[in-house]
Amino acid sequence: MDATPRWLNPEERRAWLAYVEFSTHLADHLNRQLRRDAGVTHADYTLLAFLSAVPGHQLTMSELAERLRITRSRLTHAVTRLQEAGYVDRQDCPSNRRNQLAVLTPEGVRLLEEVAPGHVEAVRQAVFDALTPDQITQLAEIGEAINRALHRIDADNGHEQALPWRRR
């Protein structure tokens, strides 16, 4: 095996640094918008959105951690915070007593319904309004290609995880 690093060429470095800068800036922008409009973080909103997208608005804590790609400990802290705010509830899992369900409450549904339009507008202004239709298609294709590569790498390393938009 060749131990020589495969350094990025100037255009690859330009693309990588642009991605790092815009992804960090975008995450900060969306986090500020959600904190201002709803008092939740972008991570909290994503958790609530995942629950809203599944039948019964509930997932086991294990499944939710897997889908969010976070540790069980980090998920427990997030769910506790959202539970205290009234947006999520925890229930015993009837099929596995060792697990719990995270359940989106009616108040959590209401929050998403109230906040989603402003959040979508923030995404639209920051991302889609800056791109041409061809660039939007390219962005989708680029994201899909990178996701396929990451899934392949994860599978090769024994770390395959289910994602909500992928069928099992």
Side-chain angles (χ1 to χ4, degrees), residues 70-152:
I70 61 176
T71 64
R72 287 284 309 258
S73 175
R74 184 170 168 204
L75 177 64
T76 298
H77 290 294
V79 168
T80 298
R81 191 172 55 254
L82 292 169
Q83 189 175 17
E84 289 170 357
Y87 303 135
V88 174
D89 195 12
R90 271 189 256 210
Q91 299 174 0
D92 289 332
C93 180
S95 63
N96 180 353
R97 299 311 253 177
R98 294 178 6 177
N99 210 340
Q100 287 190 315
L101 296 170
V103 182
L104 187 64
T105 65
E107 183 67 16
V109 171
R110 186 203 57 74
L111 175 76
L112 286 172
E113 290 171 348
E114 182 179 299
V115 174
H119 182 62
V120 170
E121 184 59 28
V123 169
R124 177 167 296 291
Q125 288 177 355
V127 179
F128 297 106
D129 289 351
L131 302 174
T132 67
D134 286 344
Q135 289 172 320
I136 292 168
T137 299
Q138 291 168 350
L139 178 62
E141 291 169 352
I142 290 165
E144 290 164 356
I146 292 170
N147 278 323
R148 281 191 302 275
L150 288 168
H151 293 304
R152 190 172 47 255

Side-chain angles (χ1 to χ4, degrees), residues 153-164:
I153 292 165
D154 283 349
D156 289 348
N157 292 317
H159 300 292
E160 183 62 24
Q161 290 184 319
L163 296 177

